[in-house]
Amino acid sequence: MEALLRWQHPERGLLTPDAFIAVCEDSGLIVPIGRWVLREAARHHRILVAHGWGHLRIAVNVSAAQFQQGLVDDVLSVLRDFELPAGILELELTESVVMASPDNVIRDMATLRDAGVCIAIDDFGTGYSSLAYLKRLPLHRVKLDRSFVQDLGRDPDDEAICDAIIRMAQRLGLCTTAEGVETDVQWNWLAAHGCEELQGYLFARPAPFEDVLALLDRPGGA
Ligand code: CA
Ligand code: CA
């Protein structure tokens, strides 16, 4: 599961992050909001545990500003306060978060990995990719960006890029998650090319936690 932020605005209705994340980044509000999201994700893990779904991984997106302002301590205290076992919390970082301060981020990621946190590179292939850093990052997972996934089955160039990323990840011992999977054609292509995990509207749309829990608690479960 991935924790996604929404804002129920009194006049404009339900807003997705593209409507407000930039201003949160600029104002520095992203740090307390990011901290809140982290704690909320961990709090929801406790609810999942109570419902017998405590083994499900929860991914949280983090920004560069959080790394600069005590992310490691925030994460360590969340792990402690909510008794999160190893392998449950995953942090998703974009390439630009890493490139903002590579040495510091790599050091902090190593500390977090040692504490049982999984690390994923988000939107892979769209940022300032540096394969040299990819080698040094303590990663578990690469998330194949939706822009490459979109035209699988139609565009040989996108297929070449996806195939190369999946193979590279395999050789580096990393898992690949494809983002934005919406069709059976994409699903079949990705499965045939060794992509281990898929995410997207084909399986589930973003939903409030209560709805996700209801889906899990149905007879037959997830
Ligand atoms: Ca993400
Ligand atoms: Ca993404």
Side-chain angles (χ1 to χ4, degrees), residues 79-115:
L79 293 178
R80 203 172 43 237
D81 295 350
F82 294 91
E83 299 172 354
L84 284 173
I88 292 300
L89 179 65
E90 179 159 281
L91 300 182
E92 295 192 3
L93 297 75
T94 61
E95 293 154 287
S96 55
V97 169
V98 178
M99 298 312 286
S101 179
D103 291 334
N104 293 336
V105 169
I106 290 169
R107 184 201 58 211
D108 289 351
M109 286 164 74
T111 304
L112 293 172
R113 178 202 52 197
D114 293 346

Side-chain angles (χ1 to χ4, degrees), residues 159-182:
E159 291 177 352
I161 291 170
C162 287
D163 190 37
I165 293 175
I166 293 166
R167 282 165 190 264
M168 181 188 65
Q170 280 171 345
R171 295 296 295 272
L172 291 169
L174 307 174
C175 176
T176 309
T177 304
E179 299 184 296
V181 179
E182 297 184 357

Side-chain angles (χ1 to χ4, degrees), residues 21 33 46 68 172 193 210 220:
I21 281 296
I33 291 173
R46 302 300 308 165
Q68 286 148 19
L172 291 169
H193 287 79
E210 295 67 34

